[in-house]
Amino acid sequence: MENALAFEGEIMPLTREIEKMIQEAQRKDREEGFFSSCLSEGMVSIKNVDPPQQVPLYLHMISPLINPVLKTVQWNVNEEEWLVNPYLVQMLSFESIDFENPSKEYILQKLSASGYEIDSKIRFLGNFHPFRYALLKEVSSMRKQDIPTSIELIFNGSSLKDSSQEHTIPSLLFPCDQAQLEAINRAKTQSIVIQGPPGTGKSQVIANLIGNKLKEGQRILVASHKKQALEVIETRLKEGGIGDLVMRRDSNEGTKSLLSSLAKSWQKMEEFDTKEVSFSFLPQLNTLQTSLKIYHQKGIIG
């Protein structure tokens, strides 16, 4: 946790340190869709490392309510949303402890049985971003296995051989140019990285890929480090007429909000027939694509 502060209760004086912590969390919320301020609960003493460390045990999501008149802040602690500190899980990965167990008592018992000293009462406030540790955990797990070529492409920059296949015109939500169409076709058989400056159609390619996969009856997860990127994709899909099938999940939302959103999306999915999506522009696009192929053949002109 960054610049941890002692937790003195649900209502605390709005000090300069707390104000800076909240501003940093708000910045991350705007840019990444994740309010990073947390309440840590418990402290584990790890003495078998050099130097010995005191590591927070549990993390609770919190939100501040500032009273500018009284110069105080009230912390709303989400008791339903907590997790074991991913940094601690990484440090103690060699222990036979199921850190995904939903019982705090189980975890405390296992840590104590393994000889770790725990202060279960101590609490701190601070900014914490668990995504980086979750990503490291996933990458470490994949590297222990037989890594597929697509993972090597992303992390090592190795190239993929293009499969020799006849490119077809997929079902698309939006018209696209030749380069975008090639990217969509490549994505059918391999993992790809699409790069380009703003305004070159990256989000349109992603929206077309999503529409194409939905038409095939598949489900798609879109993840982004930036909150704004997801909002752009969501807007695109709404423009394409499939906004009711989209559920955007922010890390700040509680379980009840998530379940309510899922229920609405599920209801729309039952009413929605992906085969009925209008792709009225496809005949014209097929004709244009055929003409382009003919024009590019050697010896046709001149």
Side-chain angles (χ1 to χ4, degrees):
M1 297 179 68
E2 301 175 3
N3 302 321
L5 305 170
F7 181 70
E8 300 171 0
E10 290 190 2
I11 299 179
M12 296 174 58
L14 184 60
T15 63
R16 180 56 184 161
E17 290 77 12
I18 290 178
E19 204 169 16
K20 287 175 62 177
M21 185 188 74
I22 293 175
Q23 289 173 353
E24 175 63 17
Q26 290 172 338
R27 183 187 66 80
K28 289 187 177 181
D29 187 29
R30 289 192 302 269
E31 295 180 356
E32 304 172 18
F34 178 79
F35 190 82
S36 57
S37 289
C38 292
L39 171 65
S40 72
E41 176 187 357
M43 194 71 68
V44 181
S45 297
I46 302 179
K47 299 179 179 180
N48 59 347
V49 294
D50 187 21
Q53 295 189 34
Q54 300 279 327
V55 183
L57 177 52
Y58 305 116
L59 299 176
H60 289 269
M61 300 297 107
I62 58 174
S63 59
L65 180 61
I66 297 175
N67 187 324
V69 177
L70 299 177
K71 295 290 183 180
T72 60
V73 56
Q74 178 178 341
W75 300 106
N76 296 316
V77 182
N78 192 337
E79 298 292 346
E80 295 180 359
E81 296 286 338
W82 63 271
L83 71 157
V84 180
N85 185 355
Y87 180 67
L88 178 67
V89 174
Q90 187 182 35
M91 290 189 69
L92 304 183
S93 58
F94 60 90
E95 297 282 5
S96 300
I97 301 176
D98 180 13
F99 285 107
E100 296 184 2
N101 191 296
S103 170
K104 290 183 178 180
E105 289 75 16
Y106 163 85
I107 296 172
L108 284 173
Q109 182 183 6
K110 288 293 185 179
L111 287 171
S112 298
S114 299
Y116 295 100
E117 296 180 8
I118 305 169
D119 184 345
S120 60
K121 303 297 183 182
I122 191 169
R123 289 186 163 195
F124 286 98
L125 293 167
N127 283 332
F128 182 83
H129 210 315
F131 294 155
R132 68 189 70 169
Y133 295 108
L135 177 61
L136 286 173
K137 179 181 176 182
E138 292 180 12
V139 173
S140 299
S141 175
M142 288 186 292
R143 288 195 176 281
K144 293 178 182 178
Q145 305 170 10
D146 184 15
I147 307 173
T149 312
S150 58
I151 301 299
E152 287 291 348
L153 171 65
I154 295 173
F155 289 103
N156 293 341
S158 57
S159 60
L160 289 174
K161 293 182 178 179
D162 186 17
S163 55
S164 57
Q165 60 173 14
E166 182 67 25
H167 284 179
T168 58
I169 305 294
S171 298
L172 303 174
L173 293 174
F174 305 99
C176 61
D177 59 27
Q178 181 64 32
Q180 293 170 342
L181 182 63
E182 182 180 352
I184 293 170
N185 281 318
R186 281 174 175 266
K188 286 186 174 183
T189 58
Q190 58 187 240
S191 296
I192 62 173
V193 177
I194 301 175
Q195 296 177 319
T200 53
K202 298 185 296 296
S203 61
Q204 187 158 308
V205 171
I206 295 173
N208 274 329
L209 282 170
I210 293 172
N212 182 247
K213 294 303 179 184
L214 285 177
K215 192 171 189 296
E216 295 175 357
Q218 300 185 35
R219 290 173 290 183
I220 303 95
L221 171 66
V222 182
S224 173
H225 188 61
K226 299 291 185 181
K227 182 179 180 180
Q228 293 92 329
L230 294 178
E231 293 174 346
V232 170
I233 299 299
E234 183 181 29
T235 300
R236 282 286 190 179
L237 295 176
K238 287 180 179 179
E239 292 172 355
I242 59 173
D244 289 332
L245 299 182
V246 179
M247 186 199 70
R248 181 162 57 86
R249 161 73 165 159
D250 288 339
S251 301
N252 299 336
E253 296 177 359
T255 305
K256 293 181 181 179
S257 175
L258 173 62
L259 293 177
S260 175
S261 183
L262 280 172
K264 291 179 182 178
S265 294
W266 189 264
Q267 182 180 359
K268 292 295 182 180
M269 288 175 66
E270 291 180 339
E271 300 171 357
F272 191 85
D273 185 355
T274 56
K275 294 182 180 179
E276 297 299 321
V277 179
S278 175
F279 297 101
S280 57
F281 64 87
L282 280 179
Q284 181 183 5
L285 184 61
N286 274 299
T287 301
L288 290 173
Q289 189 66 30
T290 301
S291 299
L292 285 172
K293 287 184 177 179
I294 293 175
Y295 294 152
H296 280 85
Q297 291 181 15
K298 294 181 179 181
I300 294 296
I301 300 177

